[in-house]
């Protein structure tokens, strides 16, 4: 298996100049690991590193694209501080992606920022929601029509605990392994899901296939154990970036992470042929959206 993680040793969030290799690796579904970036946290911000800061009814604390903070229980002063810390990470992430992948500049749509203060190991979830199983990201309620999901992660653990990921095989191999077992797309079912408001728009055949792959991977325990994979403990301070709809990943352990989502129209990729949409289209032999 090609190495699915690539180290980038930049010491600044802004790259000058950018290397073409970074975008090629990213679009090949690799995880770019920035080993030497700094994200200083103030003494006040250190007090946010407790699971009690999250509203137990929400999975994560999130900052939406309009700047609204959701999912925190804390008092007003702490909420203001949390918003400032997450906004700072958002701005740093934006600089990182704009300068390392300049061909995406002006085409990325900002998604939410999340702060995840819970310990992964103690989460109790259904197999489908369990991100300790290798998967590619696919949204059951929000069809993407092939738009890419680009994510920037940072381990902000103050106690020297790594965030341990497993990274699986390339997307093509996932498709080769599971596509033949996917349920056929039903336009009628997609219409029904949309009519009842279960999906926010009509689920395309592409979105259906991505969900099928997500589920098939997570459901297959033999695959989870035995497929080509590597375990990567991202130490505190690490930043890593990937197209999470393409890079097979699982988060096994760790606590305190921030993540920034960006969306990229598939037409604005450097090489549109490397997208999950293009790969699936080649396998199936027809349009999927
Ligand atoms: C995921 O995106 O599947 C989980 C990432 C994480 O919590 O580290
Ligand atoms: Fe995921």
């Amino acid at each position: 298996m090609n190495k699915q993680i690539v180290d980038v040793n930049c010491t600044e969030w802004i790259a000058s100049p950018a290397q073409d290799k970074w975008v090629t690796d990213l679009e090949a579904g690799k995880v770019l690991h920035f080993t030497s970036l700094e994200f200083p946290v103030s003494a006040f911000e250190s007090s946010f590193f407790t699971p009690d800061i999250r509203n137990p009814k929400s999975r994560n604390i999130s900052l939406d694209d309009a700047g609204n903070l959701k999912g925190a229980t804390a008092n007003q002063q702490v909420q203001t501080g949390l918003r400032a810390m997450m906004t700072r990470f958002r701005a740093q992430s934006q600089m990182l992606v704009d300068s390392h992948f300049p061909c995406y500049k002006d085409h990325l749509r900002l998604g939410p920022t999340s702060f995840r203060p819970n310990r992964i190991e103690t989460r109790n979830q259904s197999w489908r929601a369990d991100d300790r199983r290798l998967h590619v990201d696919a949204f059951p309620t929000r069809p993407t029509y092939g738009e890419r999901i680009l994510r920037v992660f940072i381990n902000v653990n103050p106690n020297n605990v790594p965030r341990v990921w497993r990274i699986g095989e390339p997307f093509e191999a996932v498709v080769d392994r599971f596509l033949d077992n996917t349920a056929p797309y039903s336009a009628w079912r997609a219409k029904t899901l949309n009519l009842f408001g279960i999906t926010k728009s009509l689920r395309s055949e592409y979105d259906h296939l991505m969900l099928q792959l997500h589920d098939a991977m997570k459901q297959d325990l033999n695959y989870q154990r035995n497929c080509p994979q590597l375990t990567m403990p991202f130490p505190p301070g690490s930043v890593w970036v990937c197209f999470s709809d393409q890079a097979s990943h699982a988060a096994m352990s760790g606590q305190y992470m921030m993540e920034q989502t960006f969306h990229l129209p598939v037409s604005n990729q450097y090489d549109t042929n490397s997208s999950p949409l293009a790969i699936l289209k080649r396998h199936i032999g027809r349009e999927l959206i």
Side-chain angles (χ1 to χ4, degrees), residues 116 131 133 135-138 151 153 165 214 218 244 247 249-251:
R116 308 188 189 186
D131 289 339
R133 299 181 185 211
H135 63 282
V136 288
D137 287 349
R151 289 192 151 143
F153 300 87
W165 269 33
H214 170 276
K218 280 191 173 174
S244 63
H249 62 283

Side-chain angles (χ1 to χ4, degrees), residues 24-236:
T24 313
D25 283 341
L26 193 69
E27 293 190 356
K30 300 194 179 193
V31 176
L32 265 53
H33 178 203
F34 294 82
T35 55
S36 324
L37 298 181
E38 284 184 8
F39 187 79
V41 165
S42 72
F44 177 48
E45 288 169 346
S46 306
S47 69
F48 308 159
F49 293 81
T50 161
D52 300 338
I53 201 157
R54 179 179 58 90
N55 180 336
K57 292 198 192 107
S58 320
R59 189 167 161 177
N60 297 311
I61 295 173
S62 67
L63 188 68
D64 69 15
D65 52 354
N68 302 307
L69 188 74
K70 294 180 195 150
T73 53
N75 67 35
Q76 210 49 51
Q77 195 192 6
V78 171
Q79 293 227 9
T80 304
L82 253 179
R83 190 181 292 111
M85 181 177 81
M86 292 170 73
T87 304
R88 197 165 75 246
F89 174 63
R90 169 176 289 186
Q92 301 280 81
S93 300
Q94 186 96 57
M95 286 194 305
L96 181 87
V97 297
D98 282 351
S99 66
H100 286 78
F101 318 117
C103 55
Y104 299 163
K105 205 170 181 304
D106 304 326
H107 303 299
L108 291 169
R109 181 167 62 80
L110 189 69
T113 315
S114 71
F115 175 50
R116 308 188 189 186
N118 30 336
R119 239 183 103 197
I120 294 176
E121 302 91 300
T122 54
R123 262 195 235 153
N124 206 355
Q125 279 159 334
S126 69
W127 64 266
R128 193 176 263 130
D130 188 356
D131 289 339
R132 287 173 298 191
R133 299 181 185 211
L134 286 163
H135 63 282
V136 288
D137 287 349
F139 305 129
T141 58
R142 279 173 291 143
T144 66
Y145 293 84
E147 189 181 51
R148 307 304 312 277
I149 307 166
L150 178 63
R151 289 192 151 143
V152 180
F153 300 87
I154 185 167
N155 181 359
V156 281
N157 188 287
N159 308 315
N160 214 23
V161 177
R163 195 165 193 91
V164 180
W165 269 33
R166 289 187 295 146
I167 296 168
E169 57 187 354
F171 187 77
E172 288 84 345
V174 172
V175 172
D176 278 342
R177 204 175 298 250
F178 289 108
L179 192 64
D180 284 348
N181 301 331
T182 54
Y185 177 66
S186 156
W188 175 85
R189 184 161 186 273
K191 275 191 198 127
T192 311
L193 290 173
N194 195 23
L195 196 68
F196 286 101
I198 296 167
T199 54
K200 295 205 163 65
S201 56
L202 195 70
R203 185 182 288 170
S204 66
E205 183 164 6
Y206 168 77
D207 289 286
H208 165 78
L209 288 171
M210 291 298 286
L211 282 166
Q212 288 279 314
L213 292 177
H214 170 276
D215 287 2
M217 291 170 82
K218 280 191 173 174
Q219 243 178 329
D220 187 338
L221 290 178
N222 184 41
Y223 178 75
Q224 291 289 328
R225 267 193 298 273
N226 300 320
C227 74
Q229 58 188 278
L230 51 91
T231 297
M232 176 65 207
F234 290 105

